[in-house]
Each structure stands twice: as structure tokens, then as C-alpha cells.
Amino acid sequence: MQYESASVSERRTLPPAVAVSTVAFALAPPKDATLDSSTSEGLDPTALWIPLVRRTRAPFRDMWALPGGPTRWDETLADTALRTLHDAVLRAPGYLEQLYSFGGVERSAQAQRLVTIAYWALYGEGDLAADPAATPQPEHSRSQRGRWDDPNGVTALHSDQSRDEPDSNVAWFSADRLPELAFDHGDIVAYALSRLRSKTEYSAVAHRFLGRTFTLAQLRQVHEAVRGQAVDPANFRRQALAQGYLVDTGERETGTHYRPARLYRFAAEAAPSENTPEQQHPQQTSPHQTPPRSRP
């Protein structure tokens, strides 16, 4: 039974709809991205960036929201997260993990009650540098099923818009300077940031953002973005080298206009396991972790 056609008494007995929303973090937006207007002075090197989608229908029409949408009958939750994220960013993330379930009674305004399974994703520099035209398109993509925020899946793309072109309703924002978001998506972002910044093993996070080799300055940028504040370069260098998880490759940067910096890689024991990618085995949130209260 469709919610819109149900009577008031019938709506009270309908089960909640299930949707997925994803907070996707990157050190910098892709080169072809539309940026929030407040970034006119340049990108903040100590910020994480996330893509948001402008809603095209009620409720919360014209407000920004996380990429996501209803899960399909023939999709896993992770598949829905990957599909809707690809629709917004046109590229697959390097890492995807289930974050938490949000099911406040009041969170869907006057629409059908909605339970959202939140994910978080990490985009490395290589992930965002990929050519959208060469990126495999997930099954049930927007060109086949419609826009991400269309519950009926019938709103087609504009005839002049290719799936490889950025959507005009998608923009990248600094995670610390977000507009008011639809639903309780502001709470979801805050919770994802808290989880990310509470991780004690920053090396595991850095693995997802950096390439095979990197400079200490690039590694420091990851730590600054995750923490949301600058760190002293000399202290960071001393501490990073003392922890023993970095290996000097003996190589240096090339093509720079300054003295090339040394290139490092992570030691094998510091690398996250490649046998358990979260896109295949999303972790459940531990019972003792409590999400923030949803806004009324």
C-alpha cells in the first residue's frame, strides 16, 4: 500500500520505509566538483569535505541533504549506499562502512516514517582523480531508476545530462561549515565526524586517503583534516617517525619547484586488511555507542 493513498488510520499501521544515507569524506573535492559558495577564498587544507545533494521535492524541498535514498527490494544496504553515492559523485569510494541506524519517530516531518541506515565512506585522492566515464556504473543507477530522492524511481534525468556529467544539484562542502540540512542529516554528519575523529589509529584512516607513497607533509594533512586543526610540523614529524609504522622508500618527489621531499610508505603490519573490505562486510555499530538525539 502506498503511503500517499492510505487513510489516516491505515498510515498508523504501515511499517516504516527503509533508506540509506552516506557521509562521504575526502581531503579535497574532485576537480570537476561544484563547491559551496563560501569556499571562494580557497580550499581549507585542514578540513574534510563531503558531497551534499539539493532536494528537488517535499519534504525539505531545496534544502541540502546527504546522498542516499530508499533501498530497493533487490539491493543490499551497502549496494544502495554505493549506488546513490555514485549517482552524486560519479565515482566509487575506496572505503565504505556502516555507521548507525537513525529511526526517530519525528525525523520524517509529515511524510511516512523513515528509518535510515547511515554509512560513511572515504574517498582517496586516486578515487576522485578517476575519470567518471571510465568508472563502472553500479547496477540500478540513476540513469536506470531515476533520481536519488525520488521514492518512486520515475524521475528521469534531463535529456541533455549524461551520467558522466556532474549534477547541478550536487555540491561539496567543508564538513565544519555545513548549511542547515534536511531531516536529521546534520546529526548524522556530526556523528560520523565524531566517530572518525575518535579513532586512535589515524594510520588506518590515512591509508584510505593517501596513495602507495606519500610525503610527511601529505600525511600531516590527513591528521589535520581528521582532527580539524593544524599541528606543529616538527612535532608531527618526530612523532610519526618514532611510531615505527613508516618506511622510507629512498625515493623523493618529482616535478616540484622546491627541494623534493622524501617519500614514505606504510609498513605492512600497519596496513588495514585487504581481505575484509567494508563494501562487502559492513560492520555493525557496537551497542554501547549512542547516536545524537534527532532534532524535532
Side-chain angles (χ1 to χ4, degrees):
M1 179 183 297
Q2 293 292 327
Y3 182 81
E4 292 77 10
S5 62
S7 66
V8 174
S9 59
E10 289 172 332
R11 290 181 179 183
R12 292 175 178 173
T13 61
L14 287 178
V18 177
V20 170
S21 293
T22 304
V23 186
F25 295 113
L27 293 183
K31 293 182 178 180
D32 59 354
T34 299
L35 303 183
D36 167 37
S37 58
S38 66
T39 62
S40 58
E41 297 180 358
L43 301 182
D44 182 354
T46 63
L48 290 169
W49 292 82
I50 66 172
L52 297 177
V53 183
R54 183 186 290 110
R55 287 187 57 81
T56 60
R57 59 177 61 237
F60 304 106
R61 182 184 177 91
D62 293 328
M63 292 185 66
W64 293 97
L66 292 169
T71 189
R72 310 293 185 183
W73 69 271
D74 56 349
E75 285 182 324
T76 66
L77 294 173
D79 286 342
T80 303
L82 290 171
R83 169 178 58 83
T84 54
L85 189 56
H86 185 280
D87 286 352
V89 183
L90 302 180
R91 301 163 178 89
Y95 182 73
L96 182 73
E97 178 183 342
Q98 192 174 120
L99 177 67
Y100 207 88
S101 300
F102 293 78
V105 174
E106 77 290 343
R107 65 186 303 269
S108 303
Q110 301 301 314
Q112 181 179 6
R113 184 182 176 190
L114 185 67
V115 173
T116 291
I117 311 301
Y119 279 77
W120 64 341
L122 300 181
Y123 276 98
E125 181 179 353
D127 301 323
L128 292 178
D131 182 0
T135 303
Q137 186 179 20
E139 191 176 358
H140 312 306
S141 66
R142 67 179 180 180
S143 61
Q144 298 169 317
R145 292 295 187 93
R147 291 191 54 85
W148 77 277
D149 59 349
D150 181 1
N152 298 314
V154 297
T155 305
L157 288 172
H158 297 297
S159 59
D160 59 348
Q161 182 181 359
S162 164
R163 77 170 181 90
D164 302 328
E165 297 176 355
D167 192 323
S168 59
N169 286 316
V170 176
W172 285 74
F173 292 75
S174 168
D176 292 318
R177 295 198 305 272
L178 297 179
E180 182 180 0
L181 301 184
F183 303 103
D184 55 357
H185 289 190
D187 291 336
I188 297 177
V189 173
Y191 187 56
L193 277 170
S194 176
R195 283 282 301 277
L196 182 65
R197 289 171 173 167
S198 68
K199 285 183 175 289
T200 56
E201 294 297 331
Y202 284 101
S203 61
V205 175
H207 264 284
R208 308 296 180 178
F209 285 124
L210 296 173
R212 186 184 68 84
T213 61
F214 47 86
T215 66
L216 287 178
Q218 292 169 332
L219 180 61
R220 188 180 75 248
Q221 182 186 0
V222 174
H223 283 245
E224 290 178 333
V226 171
R227 297 177 182 179
Q229 60 185 21
V231 298
D232 179 74
N235 287 339
F236 177 82
R237 175 186 179 85
R238 182 172 58 255
Q239 293 172 5
L241 295 178
Q243 289 176 354
Y245 61 80
L246 297 181
V247 176
D248 189 338
T249 65
E251 302 173 354
R252 291 183 179 270
E253 288 181 294
T254 58
T256 63
H257 300 293
Y258 49 85
R259 182 181 179 183
R262 290 181 178 274
L263 292 174
Y264 293 83
R265 63 174 175 82
F266 287 107
E269 58 272 17
S273 173
E274 298 299 332
N275 297 322
T276 56
E278 294 304 330
Q279 293 178 1
Q280 299 178 17
H281 306 285
Q283 295 178 348
Q284 299 293 331
T285 305
S286 300
H288 68 273
Q289 294 172 316
T290 304
R293 292 178 58 87
S294 299
R295 290 191 299 269

